[in-house]
Amino acid sequence: MSSASPNSLFGMGNPLLDICAVVDKDLLDKYNLKPNDQILAEDKHKALFEEMVKKFKVEYHAGGATQNSIKVAQWMIQEPHNVGTFFGCIGKDKFGEILKQKAKEAHIDAHYYEQNEEPTGTCAACITGDNRSLVANLAAANCYKKEKHLDLEENWELVKKAKVYYIAGFFLTVSLESILKVAKHASENNKLFCLNLSAPFICQFFKDNLMQVMPYVDVLFGNETTEDVKEIAKKAQALPKVNTKRQRIVVLTQGKDETVMAQSDKVLTFPVLKVEPKDIVDTNGAGDAFVGGFLSELVQDKPLDQCVKAAHYSANVIIRRAGCTFPEKPDFK
């Protein structure tokens, strides 16, 4: 049994059903998609979902970045069950039922706000080679309401039970007030609040929301494809912070290149585990899995280098499989 207790890890985000398929370049061109990107669906993308189902062999996986990370953390921990709690909004429909079932199978304690106005959100994962282009149709996920769910006493009690909090940047477009309520609780009680920058569009178009949350962030995750990654890590680490008892830690992944971690006044690098290109099935869940592995050790108060080691292990397992799925048990030492 791990040292983690039930509900000690809390996640809140966009629960989505992933619709994954290996597609061709023509489909990407038709919908003007980059091979490797993450965007929100616009009206012009609505037909993409139907076209994928009609033309290609699709697989359905329970997804949404935060939910994936909480599941991977739970898988790494194994016992006890329900270490991870997850909040998000779904529709009262078939896809919503699938998400509930999958959460149960993953042994996470998911409490969804269920509403009738919008259907459960979906995410098209268009895979070409080892690239994947994600198009998220948030639908119900976009309807999460603080006063209808987070503020309810029985739900807030679950929030208070946690000692590590994780929210993907994608949720910044949905409910800033929910994020701030959780972030402030973490900061006031000297607990760990973790945020992921998630995708370029978050930093570009939701910068104001991001900057309102940043003072509460203890651990910041990001995926960088730029040259000066160490410089970025240092700058992000130096941004103002409310809880001065903890220094911010910044963890930036770079795909197959080394992971960079800025901590106090030093910047450390960690090589990732090698994987043969022929063994890569789907890089779709790699970033979420990295965070899940990291959180699984963080919630057990393990040292940071051990957190990174677990993160690399999880990502390495998940890229060999379709979707953010994993074998029955981890083989992590």
Side-chain angles (χ1 to χ4, degrees):
M1 287 274 275
S2 94
S3 60
S5 53
N7 304 109
S8 55
L9 174 63
F10 175 84
M12 180 166 60
N14 300 330
L16 304 173
L17 193 72
D18 287 345
I19 301 171
C20 310
V22 174
V23 302
D24 50 32
K25 190 176 175 299
D26 291 349
L27 186 81
L28 297 185
D29 292 345
K30 181 175 174 180
Y31 291 98
N32 203 9
L33 302 174
K34 294 179 192 156
N36 218 358
D37 204 5
Q38 291 167 293
I39 61 166
L40 293 177
E42 296 167 39
D43 284 346
K44 65 179 180 189
H45 299 116
K46 290 289 190 277
L48 165 70
F49 294 83
E50 287 148 35
E51 188 167 336
M52 278 177 76
V53 174
K54 275 200 194 111
K55 280 195 181 165
F56 303 95
K57 185 176 168 291
V58 299
E59 287 189 15
Y60 294 98
H61 295 288
T66 306
Q67 186 167 242
N68 280 343
S69 295
I70 299 295
K71 280 186 184 165
V72 170
Q74 181 66 54
W75 170 71
M76 287 286 283
I77 289 165
Q78 290 282 309
E79 301 272 341
H81 290 168
N82 294 339
V83 166
T85 312
F86 178 77
F87 286 5
C89 183
I90 59 175
K92 293 182 177 173
D93 51 27
K94 188 184 81 186
F95 283 176
E97 289 304 314
I98 294 173
L99 283 184
K100 287 200 275 193
Q101 185 53 40
K102 297 278 187 193
K104 200 177 276 164
E105 286 168 11
H107 307 302
I108 64 169
D109 194 12
H111 293 256
Y112 298 114
Y113 167 47
E114 298 180 46
Q115 49 72 60
N116 283 322
E117 284 152 46
E118 287 277 350
T120 297
T122 48
C123 180
C126 307
I127 300 158
T128 51
D130 56 7
N131 289 318
R132 53 101 187 96
S133 197
L134 304 181
V135 184
N137 180 24
L138 296 183
N142 210 17
C143 300
Y144 189 82
K145 299 278 185 291
K146 172 178 167 286
E147 63 284 357
K148 295 268 181 73
H149 194 261
L150 186 68
D151 290 346
L152 301 184
E153 195 178 341
E154 66 272 23
N155 291 335
W156 188 248
E157 283 304 314
L158 287 168
V159 176
K160 291 195 322 203
K161 276 178 85 170
K163 61 179 196 178
V164 175
Y165 301 85
Y166 172 66
I167 296 176
F170 296 121
F171 202 60
L172 284 164
T173 74
V174 174
S175 183
L176 177 62
E177 57 280 11
S178 297
I179 300 175
L180 286 170
K181 182 173 181 178
V182 171
K184 284 173 181 170
H185 167 79
S187 197
E188 284 159 11
N189 294 278
N190 196 26
K191 298 172 176 183
L192 281 161
F193 181 79
C194 314
L195 183 79
N196 197 328
L197 296 173
S198 295
F201 80 84
I202 299 291
C203 303
Q204 251 173 323
F205 304 117
F206 294 91
K207 193 177 174 206
D208 292 350
N209 289 13
L210 177 63
M211 282 310 164
Q212 283 189 57
V213 177
M214 196 58 85
Y216 302 100
V217 177
D218 296 300
V219 182
L220 181 70
F221 295 101
N223 173 357
E224 276 306 325
T225 44
T226 50
E227 300 299 305
D228 47 357
V229 67
K230 290 182 184 173
E231 207 42 52
I232 291 169
K234 269 198 223 150
K235 280 193 176 136
Q237 203 227 352
L239 290 168
K241 195 165 182 306
V242 173
N243 178 8
T244 51
K245 293 189 187 118
R246 296 179 184 275
Q247 285 203 301
R248 182 177 296 120
I249 297 152
V250 179
V251 185
L252 300 177
T253 57
Q254 310 182 80
K256 62 183 183 303
D257 296 323
E258 62 191 16
T259 295
V260 173
M261 181 164 72
Q263 181 200 356
S264 54
D265 55 355
K266 51 185 192 287
V267 179
L268 307 170
T269 57
F270 301 86
V272 305
L273 296 168
K274 290 268 184 289
V275 56
E276 293 292 328
K278 68 173 180 6
D279 294 330
I280 297 175
V281 174
D282 176 5
T283 56
N284 187 10
D288 300 338
F290 176 94
V291 172
F294 194 100
L295 295 172
S296 73
E297 301 297 297
L298 195 63
V299 80
Q300 297 178 75
D301 302 314
K302 298 281 173 67
L304 291 170
D305 58 343
Q306 182 71 3
C307 295
V308 175
K309 198 176 157 193
H312 285 162
Y313 168 80
S314 304
N316 188 273
V317 169
I318 266 96
I319 56 175
R320 299 166 189 268
R321 306 167 67 89
C324 193
T325 59
F326 29 79
E328 194 188 339
K329 285 195 162 60
D331 172 27
F332 176 72
K333 299 289 180 284

